[in-house]
Amino acid sequence: MASTTFSGPVVSTGGFTGAVTGAVTGNVTGSVLATTPVNVTTSPLTVTQATHGGRTVTLNLATGITATLPAASGTGTIYRFVIGTAITSNTTIIKVANASDTMTGTAYVVSDTAAAVLGYRTGSTDDTITMDGSTKGGLKGDIIELVDVATNLFSVLVHSAATGTEATPFSAT
């Protein structure tokens, strides 16, 4: 892979994408994509573009975590969450920051009672994902990915497994 050398300041108003290798020195304007996972073991979590955008956020709290996304503004930022510790009590919730933001997308849920994958689609006002460690997902390895696609709109894709009588993880709160 070729390398590029800059002399003078480099400004990015939309951030940098891809892996950043080597040292980043001097004044940096904009955001540099970090690739190491963020391990979260406490609740609540205030998600920020600078800390969590473009990174895998591992949710490791058996009693559940409430994560609040930043306001959707169309940045294209990807927020990826992985359930690192199965939820055994309470719930893990990923929700929008305000009454104007919504989510659009799909959850694919592997059923424990049949060789089936169930699909759930968001409703027009859905703004929250709730996983309970059983019927709504929240098992170790589940992946939730949201993309800030437009003002007031996140695209969402959930890959999860569930037990019991499966149900949609999406709701409007």
Side-chain angles (χ1 to χ4, degrees), residues 140-161:
K140 185 174 183 176
D142 288 359
I143 300 170
I144 306 98
E145 190 168 271
L146 299 107
V147 182
D148 179 358
V149 294
T151 299
N152 300 129
L153 185 63
F154 285 97
S155 174
V156 61
L157 180 61
V158 177
H159 293 276
S160 69

